[in-house]
Amino acid sequence: MHQNKLLVLGISLVIAAPSYANKVCEVKSGTATAALIELYTSEGCSSCPPADRTLNDLRRQVGSEAVVVPLALHVSYWDSIGWIDSFAQKTFDSRQRKLLENQQHRVVYTPQFFVNGSELRSWSADLPAAIRRINAKTAPVEIGLKSTPSANGTVLLDANVTARDAHISGMLYVAVSESGLVRRVLRGENSGATLQHDNAVRLLFGPIPLEHGSANLSKEISLPASWNREHLKASAFVQDGSRILQAVSTAQCDAPRGL
């Protein structure tokens, strides 16, 4: 991912969408720090399905009061052992390695959970408690994220960041993810299994640096016909080093449709 100084001037993310998209979704992060949960996973990894199910079921585990943004990032380094994960991107491989640079343990593996940029090895037992600890902290930045449908069948996403202190540094990212994905695995370690994926990241944009405590992000994209528009959502987060300062998601709108 490369920085683009032109993007800092202010931007929008445009997604081609069916004409039935007619609801504006506008969310802002609150004072509490949201927990950005990143799961690095692969359809070629036999130990990943339990972690996938944990992420899919996260809202039930932590309750409606928790402020949490889950993302599943499928990595490509398992693709050589018999099954190619169509959701995998080398960009996610690189992000996983980058997050480990400042960790106590620097081993890349799957499934691997990060909670606001810190690896959580005991995720099966400690994920809800880790989320509660993060939510108890006041966030140093505020993120606004807005989804606006247009008459010509597109959806406009706007993401912006305002820091409480103009000297705060960080990078803005925007992700588009899809839920309700079902895949029958035919080869590899999970041969014969039917897997369900929620919150699978389809697109990840950034980093856009904060300048004087603020940043905006924009991209114009075409949405592939194979993606289920009703199961898509957008998330935005600010990262300083490997630490996540704040995150927000259009899932907060609780709309019957996605983007």
Side-chain angles (χ1 to χ4, degrees), residues 141-174:
V141 302
E142 181 182 77
I143 307 174
L145 186 59
K146 184 177 181 180
S147 171
T148 307
S150 66
N152 64 2
T154 64
V155 174
L156 183 66
L157 286 179
D158 292 304
N160 61 82
V161 180
T162 303
R164 303 184 190 282
D165 182 340
H167 295 96
I168 289 176
S169 61
M171 299 288 180
L172 170 64
Y173 292 83
V174 169

Side-chain angles (χ1 to χ4, degrees), residues 120-236:
L120 183 67
R121 293 196 166 197
S122 55
W123 53 268
S124 59
D126 296 340
L127 195 50
I131 291 169
R132 288 193 294 269
R133 286 195 299 271
I134 289 170
N135 288 172
K137 301 176 182 178
T138 300
V141 302
E142 181 182 77
I143 307 174
L145 186 59
K146 184 177 181 180
S147 171
T148 307
S150 66
N152 64 2
T154 64
V155 174
L156 183 66
L157 286 179
D158 292 304
N160 61 82
V161 180
T162 303
R164 303 184 190 282
D165 182 340
H167 295 96
I168 289 176
S169 61
M171 299 288 180
L172 170 64
Y173 292 83
V174 169
V176 175
S177 59
E178 184 175 0
S179 294
L181 297 162
V182 179
R183 287 260 286 170
R184 177 75 172 174
V185 178
L186 302 179
R187 294 176 297 278
E189 290 190 357
N190 288 318
S191 179
T194 298
L195 305 179
Q196 180 173 326
H197 309 300
D198 288 340
N199 309 297
V201 177
R202 291 293 206 166
L203 297 168
L204 181 61
F205 300 112
I208 303 300
L210 272 66
E211 294 190 353
H212 307 294
S214 65
N216 302 88
L217 181 72
S218 88
K219 277 284 183 182
E220 184 172 326
I221 64 173
S222 295
L223 191 67
S226 60
W227 296 6
N228 189 330
R229 161 74 175 62
E230 297 182 9
H231 293 167
L232 294 174
K233 68 173 180 287
S235 304

Side-chain angles (χ1 to χ4, degrees), residues 18-209:
S19 60
Y20 58 67
N22 58 7
K23 184 172 182 178
V24 175
C25 173
E26 185 170 9
V27 294
K28 287 189 177 181
S29 59
T31 57
T33 302
L36 180 72
I37 311 300
E38 296 179 65
L39 168 61
Y40 290 85
T41 185
S42 172
E43 289 184 337
C45 155
S46 62
S47 58
C48 285
D52 295 337
R53 290 192 292 270
T54 294
L55 192 73
N56 297 353
D57 197 38
L58 190 59
R59 175 54 62 187
R60 187 190 64 80
Q61 296 177 50
V62 300
S64 60
E65 298 303 314
V67 187
V68 59
V69 177
L71 297 176
L73 299 101
H74 289 236
V75 295
S76 67
Y77 48 79
W78 280 91
D79 287 357
S80 61
I81 65 167
W83 180 253
I84 295 177
D85 188 334
S86 61
F87 308 119
Q89 298 184 33
K90 291 188 181 299
T91 297
F92 305 156
D93 303 3
S94 299
R95 177 168 175 80
Q96 183 183 21
R97 289 193 298 269
K98 190 71 175 176
L99 285 174
L100 286 167
E101 287 183 356
N102 297 319
Q103 306 288 328
Q104 180 179 0
H105 303 285
R106 300 185 182 182
V107 179
V108 172
Y109 62 93
T110 55
Q112 190 167 36
F113 274 93
F114 291 84
V115 180
N116 279 26
S118 296
E119 182 190 6
L120 183 67
R121 293 196 166 197
S122 55
W123 53 268
S124 59
D126 296 340
L127 195 50
I131 291 169
R132 288 193 294 269
R133 286 195 299 271
I134 289 170
N135 288 172
K137 301 176 182 178
T138 300
V141 302
E142 181 182 77
I143 307 174
L145 186 59
K146 184 177 181 180
S147 171
T148 307
S150 66
N152 64 2
T154 64
V155 174
L156 183 66
L157 286 179
D158 292 304
N160 61 82
V161 180
T162 303
R164 303 184 190 282
D165 182 340
H167 295 96
I168 289 176
S169 61
M171 299 288 180
L172 170 64
Y173 292 83
V174 169
V176 175
S177 59
E178 184 175 0
S179 294
L181 297 162
V182 179
R183 287 260 286 170
R184 177 75 172 174
V185 178
L186 302 179
R187 294 176 297 278
E189 290 190 357
N190 288 318
S191 179
T194 298
L195 305 179
Q196 180 173 326
H197 309 300
D198 288 340
N199 309 297
V201 177
R202 291 293 206 166
L203 297 168
L204 181 61
F205 300 112
I208 303 300

